[in-house]
Amino acid sequence: MACCALDELELVAANKTTQHYQKGQVIYQEGSQALGFYCVYQGKIKLSKAGGDNKEQIINLFHAGDVLGYRALLAGTRYTSSAVALEDCVVCMVPRPDFLRLVQGNLQFSTALMQLLARSLGQAEQRMLHLAYKPVRERLAGALVFVMETFQQEGQELPFRIALGREDLAALVGTAKETVSRLLSELKEMGIITTRGSQITILKPARLIEIATMYD
């Protein structure tokens, strides 16, 4: 469900707005009123929550063509997480009244949205189980696989590379930044990845998947 698909609907095309966000800029804030339905036109975005100790926990990642912010709109609640740009982004926003009219009046759109919601909930349950039962090393490997599967584009030159800060990776894994740095060094010594500053290159994705699924 991408922006180009939404543009085919006259209601959305007439009322959506497009906003540019710089790296680190908040698109919407946890606890704020749900104002609209967002579609990523360009760039990468993280969805995160603040834990009880005020530490960030990244719960999902988005790229061009993904949609977000719809759960709070459907539930009639405030946003339960924050959306933040991982890099410079272009994001489309459909205001809440137009989104709700679209859900009520377009069966194809509402069905696709329900399927998206179901998949999202299933993925969230799986990540919660991993956080609860898997050792940190396996969680880090799984997080790197998740990042690769999320952001790797069809036809993209291999090996896969991404610039991702240690803080963000730690928030995705659910551990300390120092632990992530140590485990990345171990994976580097094993020849599975290389690092240069914040850039991580995955050299052996099959080996990384093997580590990530060791306790499945």
Side-chain angles (χ1 to χ4, degrees):
M1 186 183 296
C3 286
C4 58
L6 293 179
D7 284 344
E8 296 174 0
L9 300 169
E10 183 178 353
L11 173 65
V12 175
N15 295 284
K16 72 176 178 66
T17 59
T18 301
Q19 182 70 44
H20 293 255
Y21 296 91
Q22 295 181 340
K23 179 180 178 180
Q25 191 172 356
V26 175
I27 297 162
Y28 61 78
Q29 184 73 46
E30 179 179 355
S32 64
Q33 190 69 40
L35 299 178
F37 169 80
Y38 296 85
C39 178
V40 187
Y41 184 77
Q42 179 182 315
K44 299 178 180 66
I45 292 171
K46 64 180 178 180
L47 198 66
S48 63
K49 289 180 66 68
D53 53 2
N54 213 32
K55 287 186 178 180
E56 180 188 30
Q57 177 68 55
I58 296 178
I59 57 178
N60 212 341
L61 299 170
F62 299 94
H63 58 82
D66 286 339
V67 295
L68 59 157
Y70 55 89
R71 282 187 292 174
L73 292 175
L74 292 172
T77 61
R78 295 177 179 272
Y79 291 121
T80 57
S81 53
S82 299
V84 181
L86 280 171
E87 62 183 27
D88 292 353
C89 295
V90 180
V91 181
C92 306
M93 194 274 274
V94 179
R96 181 176 181 273
D98 296 334
F99 168 79
L100 294 177
R101 283 198 295 270
L102 190 57
V103 170
Q104 294 166 3
N106 189 297
L107 179 60
Q108 183 179 0
F109 179 83
S110 57
T111 299
L113 201 61
M114 292 305 102
Q115 292 172 343
L116 189 63
L117 181 59
R119 287 198 299 270
S120 177
L121 289 173
Q123 292 167 357
E125 289 176 358
Q126 187 177 42
R127 284 194 294 273
M128 286 177 62
L129 285 173
H130 289 174
L131 284 173
Y133 297 112
K134 285 194 173 186
V136 180
R137 179 173 174 266
E138 284 67 32
R139 297 206 313 264
L140 175 61
L144 290 173
V145 171
F146 175 57
V147 169
M148 179 179 65
E149 291 178 344
T150 300
F151 294 136
Q152 189 171 27
Q153 299 176 1
E154 187 175 350
Q156 182 178 357
E157 182 182 352
L158 296 177
F160 174 77
R161 294 182 177 86
I162 189 169
L164 189 66
R166 301 296 186 267
E167 294 86 355
D168 283 329
L169 196 50
L172 186 59
V173 175
T175 190
K177 182 178 72 171
E178 294 75 16
T179 302
V180 164
S181 296
R182 175 176 57 81
L183 292 173
L184 285 176
S185 296
E186 291 181 9
L187 292 175
K188 186 175 180 179
E189 290 174 4
M190 296 167 68
I192 297 173
I193 66 168
T194 61
T195 61
R196 185 176 181 180
S198 64
Q199 182 172 276
I200 299 172
T201 302
I202 298 177
L203 302 175
K204 298 180 180 179
R207 181 69 180 110
L208 203 59
I209 292 171
E210 183 181 331
I211 295 172
T213 58
M214 188 176 297
Y215 290 92
D216 288 356

